[in-house]
Amino acid sequence: MDPGGLSLATVLFFALTVLLVGGVYPPGAVSEEVPERRSQKLEMDQAVLRVYNELFHEGLVVSWLSDHCYQCLYQELGKVPPEKRLGHPRNSTFVIDTKHPVTLQLKTKVDGQEVCRVHESFGELGHYSLWVTKANLSNVSGPVNCKIIIDQEPINSNLPILYAFLVYAGLAISVCLGQFILGLHSVNNLLFRLSPRVEMERLINSELGSPNRLTDNTSHGNLVSGHNPGYPRLRSIDTLRGLALVIMIFVNYGGGKYWFFKHESWNGLTIADLVFPWFVFIMGTSIALSLSPALQGIRSRWRLLGKVAWRTAALILLGIFIINPNYCKGALSWDTLRIPGVLQRLGLTYGVIAVMELVCGKSSPDSLAVDSWWSLLRDVLIYWPQWILILLLECVWLCLTFLLPVPDCPRGYLGPGGIGDFGQFANCTGGAAGLVDRWLFGEKHIYQHPSCTLLYHTTVPFDPENLLGLINSIVMAFLGLQAGKIFLIYKGQNKQIMLRFFIWSILLVHLLCYDTKFFCLRSSLADLFCGGYKETLDRSSLFLSRDELHSALRWTRGV
């Protein structure tokens, strides 16, 4: 076999394997001290850091702080013994996480005085040395130099993504090229002549007539009285739904262990955090498109309400009794049954939005207020009761979140607790959202191990699918419902639809960036939230100030 071909096959296999197989590792710079003179067996997203201490009779304490941990306290990484003899520095070796840049802080062991700080982005499987030396050997109390040296170059962990992208891009180009070639008239004629079924089709058509003519004759009327023809599917919705499903499956199977394919611990926004908001938005749009034909027909709204109630109950029960993480720990126990969950939130969101549409929806929205002076806003104004209800729900969320007193926590606190916010509010994880869940469901019936536990060292249970967050999911689904109404009201007017979506985008982005202190974007496994201070709502929330949003937009343009 050709060595070059073997190498390419090996690379492609490695790329697909790395992208499809993954695990869970703590975020940030979680590290462990390992003995000296022992071979280092590193895993993905890890590097070796060896700290050399040339300070005579001064032991060092090494601490770390991940750039990903917002307003966190330094965490002790380990200790380095002092130098006993000049020219014979002592050292300690650590395994350090490489997902995010880290700030290393070195202090003296005796009096705790800071010696130096070093900020470094460690690479995967790299070997590094941190040398702590006196700038002037003759001056014992003089300044100290801290310098990091790369002993072994790290690997480029993004190469598997590049290889996988090239493979899939090549497959896509091949499919498009094949479709183009097969679509050529000369190629179609050649394939038609080579087909052995040509003569059979000619005989059938000569005796029974052309199938096309038969189809055309029957298409002008319904074969079954009272049967409505099928509505064409909206390809954009199916595309977004398919993309969300692919990302969801990829994330659930580890995401290749890449940090941006995992849910954020608290502050941050990754690809995985977009899946749930996409699903909720698509659900709202699908409700508008699916209920519109039912409202136009002769079906009873009470019957439709019964179907909505059945689907809502089915999703909630499936979430509680079937898709429950406590199954991994053995038999499901009523004492530790988790009540909130993803399916539960989807079911409740679906129920509220569907009932709202059945009660306040219009049977033929495209023919309403066409000639009125406010026709430019008819996609909003003819549904004014729904908008009032959504605004009232959001006011309830704002009042509970920022006015409800939480014991031993500042009013309106939205942070992760633990070591976040410099450790001042260690037991205030989630603020009012966490308090409502613990009061209503009990601590044993909510999620016990949120992802913020790994990075922020929290000890209070907190459920990302909290009850207060349900309100924001309803708002997100309502925005999807509004998008579906735009499709219905301006059916067949593609320019008007695109113009409406553009105007809505401008309004939402302006709302997002108008005031840094009040408006913000928060994203999580189960929420996409707008509103609040420079803190966070749940276990993987994110605030983006105006400057940070602009930086993110510049980053996306540069990619």
Side-chain angles (χ1 to χ4, degrees):
M1 183 180 292
D2 181 21
L6 178 61
S7 176
L8 178 59
T10 304
V11 169
L12 295 180
F13 176 78
F14 173 74
L16 295 177
T17 302
V18 169
L19 285 176
L20 293 178
V21 180
V24 178
Y25 284 85
V30 179
S31 310
E32 57 176 312
E33 188 173 1
V34 297
E36 296 183 38
R37 299 178 182 177
R38 197 182 80 178
S39 59
Q40 310 301 325
K41 185 179 180 181
L42 298 177
E43 299 181 0
M44 298 180 67
D45 296 318
Q46 289 185 345
V48 172
L49 174 65
R50 179 165 293 179
V51 181
Y52 290 88
N53 183 12
E54 290 189 346
L55 303 183
F56 193 65
H57 291 301
E58 286 189 16
L60 297 176
V61 177
V62 183
S63 303
W64 64 272
L65 176 63
S66 172
D67 287 5
H68 209 57
C69 195
Y70 179 68
Q71 292 184 346
C72 291
L73 299 172
Y74 278 91
Q75 299 299 299
E76 183 175 323
L77 182 62
K79 298 178 175 63
V80 185
E83 184 182 46
K84 297 298 183 180
R85 293 185 300 167
L86 292 177
H88 294 81
R90 303 289 299 275
N91 66 83
S92 296
T93 305
F94 309 96
V95 174
I96 192 164
D97 197 275
T98 61
K99 291 186 182 71
H100 304 285
V102 174
T103 299
L104 298 175
Q105 182 189 59
L106 288 88
K107 291 184 176 181
T108 57
K109 187 177 180 180
V110 178
D111 53 9
Q113 286 188 342
E114 181 175 311
V115 176
C116 63
R117 292 187 185 184
V118 180
H119 186 268
E120 182 69 23
S121 297
F122 296 97
E124 184 176 340
L125 303 183
H127 287 241
Y128 299 84
S129 296
L130 173 58
W131 288 83
V132 183
T133 61
K134 285 288 186 179
N136 188 354
L137 295 178
S138 59
N139 186 2
V140 178
S141 60
V144 175
N145 289 335
C146 296
K147 183 178 181 181
I148 289 184
I149 300 175
I150 301 177
D151 300 324
Q152 179 179 318
E153 290 290 339
I155 66 171
N156 189 347
S157 58
N158 294 322
L159 283 180
I161 294 183
L162 176 61
Y163 295 148
F165 172 77
L166 293 177
V167 170
Y168 292 128
L171 292 175
I173 293 174
S174 301
V175 171
C176 294
L177 186 60
Q179 291 178 347
F180 173 76
I181 294 175
L182 292 176
L184 295 177
H185 184 69
S186 57
V187 175
N188 276 334
N189 288 338
L190 178 62
L191 294 177
F192 187 74
R193 292 175 182 177
L194 296 177
S195 175
R197 301 170 54 189
V198 174
E199 185 63 20
M200 183 180 296
E201 291 182 358
R202 187 187 66 78
L203 292 174
I204 293 175
N205 293 339
S206 64
E207 295 294 332
L208 302 178
S210 172
N212 293 332
R213 289 199 300 270
L214 181 63
T215 303
D216 293 339
N217 291 334
T218 60
S219 63
H220 293 287
N222 292 330
L223 297 178
V224 181
S225 178
H227 177 71
N228 293 327
Y231 285 83
R233 298 187 66 87
L234 196 60
R235 291 187 177 182
S236 57
I237 295 295
D238 289 338
T239 301
L240 182 57
R241 184 186 291 113
L243 179 62
L245 282 172
V246 170
I247 296 177
M248 180 187 68
I249 295 172
F250 187 68
V251 168
N252 286 345
Y253 280 89
K257 298 185 181 179
Y258 288 100
W259 65 268
F260 43 81
F261 285 127
K262 298 179 184 296
H263 294 293
E264 283 292 2
S265 297
W266 197 275
N267 297 310
L269 179 65
T270 65
I271 298 175
D273 296 318
L274 299 175
V275 175
F276 190 89
W278 284 352
F279 262 105
V280 174
F281 186 88
I282 293 170
M283 182 173 62
T285 306
S286 300
I287 289 173
L289 298 178
S290 61
L291 290 184
S292 178
L295 293 176
Q296 294 176 12
I298 58 175
R299 302 179 66 180
S300 170
R301 296 202 180 196
W302 287 106
R303 188 175 180 181
L304 293 175
L305 284 173
K307 288 192 172 184
V308 168
W310 166 251
R311 291 182 178 180
T312 301
L315 285 172
I316 294 174
L317 293 177
L318 283 174
I320 293 178
F321 295 105
I322 305 300
I323 315 299
N324 199 303
N326 288 337
Y327 269 124
C328 301
K329 303 175 183 179
L332 199 60
S333 173
W334 288 104
D335 296 333
T336 58
L337 181 70
R338 182 192 177 194
I339 298 178
V342 175
L343 282 184
Q344 294 91 307
R345 176 172 286 191
L346 284 174
L348 291 173
T349 303
Y350 166 79
V352 172
I353 295 299
V355 169
M356 184 189 305
E357 182 63 12
L358 286 175
V359 173
C360 305
K362 309 297 180 181
S363 58
S364 300
D366 55 331
S367 60
L368 297 177
V370 177
D371 299 325
S372 60
W373 60 271
W374 46 271
S375 60
L376 293 176
L377 300 175
R378 60 193 175 116
D379 56 327
V380 175
L381 295 181
I382 62 178
Y383 297 104
W384 62 268
Q386 296 179 353
W387 281 95
I388 292 179
L389 179 59
I390 290 298
L391 291 176
L392 288 177
L393 284 176
E394 197 60 29
C395 288
V396 170
W397 185 92
L398 289 172
C399 291
L400 290 176
T401 301
F402 294 106
L403 300 180
L404 182 66
V406 181
D408 302 323
C409 302
R411 194 182 299 269
Y413 180 76
L414 302 174
I419 64 172
D421 300 299
F422 306 109
Q424 300 178 15
F425 316 112
N427 297 321
C428 298
T429 304
L435 176 66
V436 170
D437 282 354
R438 292 190 292 271
W439 172 77
L440 186 62
F441 304 122
E443 287 193 1
K444 294 184 178 180
H445 296 284
I446 61 178
Y447 199 58
Q448 299 295 311
H449 305 286
S451 58
C452 59
T453 303
L454 300 174
L455 184 62
Y456 289 93
H457 302 282
T458 59
T459 57
V460 179
F462 179 78
D463 206 304
E465 285 74 48
N466 53 79
L467 187 62
L468 285 186
L470 173 64
I471 297 177
N472 296 317
S473 295
I474 293 174
V475 174
M476 174 59 64
F478 178 75
L479 294 178
L481 184 74
Q482 184 66 29
K485 292 173 181 176
I486 292 175
F487 282 114
L488 294 173
I489 293 176
Y490 301 98
K491 181 170 54 180
Q493 306 177 43
N494 294 336
K495 291 185 178 179
Q496 283 289 339
I497 293 175
M498 294 302 298
L499 179 61
R500 289 284 161 176
F501 285 154
F502 178 76
I503 293 175
W504 274 105
S505 301
I506 294 299
L507 289 176
L508 291 176
V509 171
H510 179 72
L511 181 69
L512 173 69
C513 304
Y514 179 73
D515 191 344
T516 302
K517 294 182 179 180
F518 189 77
F519 293 106
C520 57
L521 174 67
R522 303 177 186 276
S523 164
S524 72
L525 175 63
D527 288 309
L528 187 65
F529 162 71
C530 200
Y533 291 95
K534 284 189 172 182
E535 291 163 354
T536 46
L537 171 63
D538 53 24
R539 65 172 174 138
S540 51
S541 302
L542 160 76
F543 77 86
L544 281 179
S545 66
R546 183 187 310 172
D547 297 335
E548 291 168 325
L549 178 64
H550 292 169
S551 300
L553 294 177
R554 288 196 300 270
W555 179 80
T556 55
R557 288 196 298 266
V559 168

